[in-house]
Amino acid sequence: MNKINRLFRENKNRKLLSLYFCAGCPTLEGTADVIKTLERRGIDMIEVGIPFSDPLADGPVIQSAGTTALRNGMTLEKLFSQLATVKDEVCIPLVLMGYLNVVMHFGIEDFFRRCVECGVSGCIIPDLPFEDYQVVVRPLADRYDVKVIMMITPETSEKRIRFIDEHTDGFIYMVSSAGITGTQSSFNDAKVGYFSRVEAMNLRNPRMIGFGIGNKQTLESAQAHAAGVIIGSKFVTLLNETGNPDIAMDRLQEALKH
C-alpha cells in the first residue's frame, strides 16, 4: 500500500501534521538531514519543494527559498540523488511539490519512475491542468503508484470538488485562500465557512488544509475541519533563520502554542 494511503488509514483518530521545506535551502546538501530530523521529531508527512524560477503559487518566503536553492545548485536530478540516500531510513510519506515545467523537462515517466526508486509516495503540481492530469499524467502515476495530489480553493465549485475527489487518490490539499502561500494571523469567518462547507460534503478522500498556518488560532481552525494541516512558510522562515532543523522545530512548536 502507498505510504500516503496507509498514513490516513492508520491515523483516523488524530490530527496529522505535514511540513514543507524547499530542497537545497538553506544549504545544498541539507535535504537528507532535514527529512530525517522531521521524522524523528514526529512529523507525519513531508513535502519537499522542487525549486523553480517562476513559482506562481508561492509567496515571498518560499520564492526566496527557491531562489537560494537554485543559486546553491539544486536541481531535480540532484534532489533525487539526495532522496535515494535516505530511502531506506525514512518511513513516513514524502511528497514532492513542484511545477509542471520542471517535471516535463525531466520527462513525466522518468519523474514517476525516479520517485519510486527514491521512496517518494506522492507529488503536488500546482499548475497541472486537471484535464492533462487525467489524460497524460494519471496513467503514468498509477503505473508507478505515485499519488498526484490536487488542490482546491474557496473558489472551487462543489461540482468540481466532487469531480476531483472521484478521480484522485491519497488526499485533497485544501488551500485556505485563493492567494499565494504565506502565514496569516487568523482565519476569518469566510475561510472557516469554506472549511465547514467542504467538510460537510463527506468526500471520499481525506483533506489536509494548508497556506497561512503558523499559530495556534490558524492551526486549531484548520484541524477542526480536516484530517490535518500543512505548514510551509512558517517552517521555511524558521529553518532559514536558524539553519538547523531541530531548532526550527523547537521554535515552530512554540509558535503553535500562541
Side-chain angles (χ1 to χ4, degrees):
M1 179 185 292
N2 183 285
K3 288 183 180 180
I4 295 173
N5 297 114
R6 183 182 297 118
L7 175 68
F8 287 100
R9 176 174 294 187
E10 296 179 352
N11 294 277
K12 293 181 179 180
N13 296 319
R14 70 178 184 89
K15 300 301 181 180
L16 303 177
L17 176 59
S18 176
L19 294 190
Y20 166 97
F21 77 98
C22 182
C25 179
T27 65
L28 177 61
E29 301 296 342
T31 304
D33 182 49
V34 174
I35 291 172
K36 290 190 290 185
T37 300
L38 295 186
E39 179 171 40
R40 175 171 51 79
R41 296 294 297 266
I43 298 305
D44 297 297
M45 181 165 56
I46 300 172
E47 290 180 22
V48 183
I50 306 167
F52 181 51
S53 57
D54 189 23
L56 299 176
D58 295 322
V61 170
I62 294 178
Q63 283 190 21
S64 177
T67 299
T68 298
L70 291 172
R71 288 175 178 166
N72 286 344
M74 178 54 71
T75 64
L76 183 51
E77 181 63 48
K78 179 72 173 176
L79 173 56
F80 279 132
S81 297
Q82 293 178 344
L83 294 175
T85 67
V86 295
K87 176 186 177 182
D88 297 329
E89 301 176 57
V90 177
C91 296
I92 62 175
L94 300 180
V95 178
L96 293 187
M97 186 167 185
Y99 289 84
L100 184 59
N101 184 282
V102 177
V103 175
M104 290 184 65
H105 186 264
F106 192 85
I108 296 174
E109 182 162 10
D110 287 341
F111 174 79
F112 289 119
R113 176 178 54 80
R114 292 293 296 278
C115 281
V116 173
E117 292 173 354
C118 299
V120 173
S121 300
C123 69
I124 301 168
I125 307 174
D127 57 343
L128 172 63
F130 197 81
E131 291 71 20
D132 291 345
Y133 157 73
Q134 286 188 285
V135 175
V136 178
V137 174
R138 184 180 180 182
L140 295 171
D142 287 350
R143 180 183 304 170
Y144 292 93
D145 192 27
V146 176
K147 305 304 179 184
V148 180
I149 307 305
M150 288 291 173
M151 292 176 157
I152 63 172
T153 76
E155 281 68 42
T156 308
S157 69
E158 179 174 339
K159 181 179 179 181
R160 185 69 168 181
I161 293 172
R162 292 197 182 279
F163 188 73
I164 290 171
D165 185 49
E166 180 182 353
H167 293 283
T168 61
D169 183 34
F171 68 94
I172 290 176
Y173 192 136
M174 284 184 64
V175 177
S176 67
S177 61
I180 57 177
T181 58
T183 56
Q184 301 173 36
S185 60
S186 64
F187 288 141
N188 59 28
D189 290 344
K191 289 177 182 176
V192 174
Y194 153 61
F195 300 160
S196 299
R197 173 173 61 86
V198 176
E199 181 182 21
M201 292 173 65
N202 294 313
L203 300 176
R204 181 177 61 87
N205 282 298
R207 304 165 318 285
M208 296 285 283
I209 296 177
F211 285 44
I213 297 169
N215 60 21
K216 184 177 180 180
Q217 196 277 347
T218 50
L219 175 71
E220 292 181 348
S221 294
Q223 286 178 329
H225 299 285
V229 302
I230 300 165
I231 298 178
S233 294
K234 184 68 175 181
F235 180 70
V236 170
T237 297
L238 294 171
L239 184 61
N240 288 342
E241 287 176 354
T242 65
N244 182 306
D246 254 322
I247 298 174
M249 271 300 303
D250 290 340
R251 295 188 180 178
L252 177 63
Q253 289 174 334
E254 185 62 28
L256 295 177
K257 296 176 182 177
H258 305 284

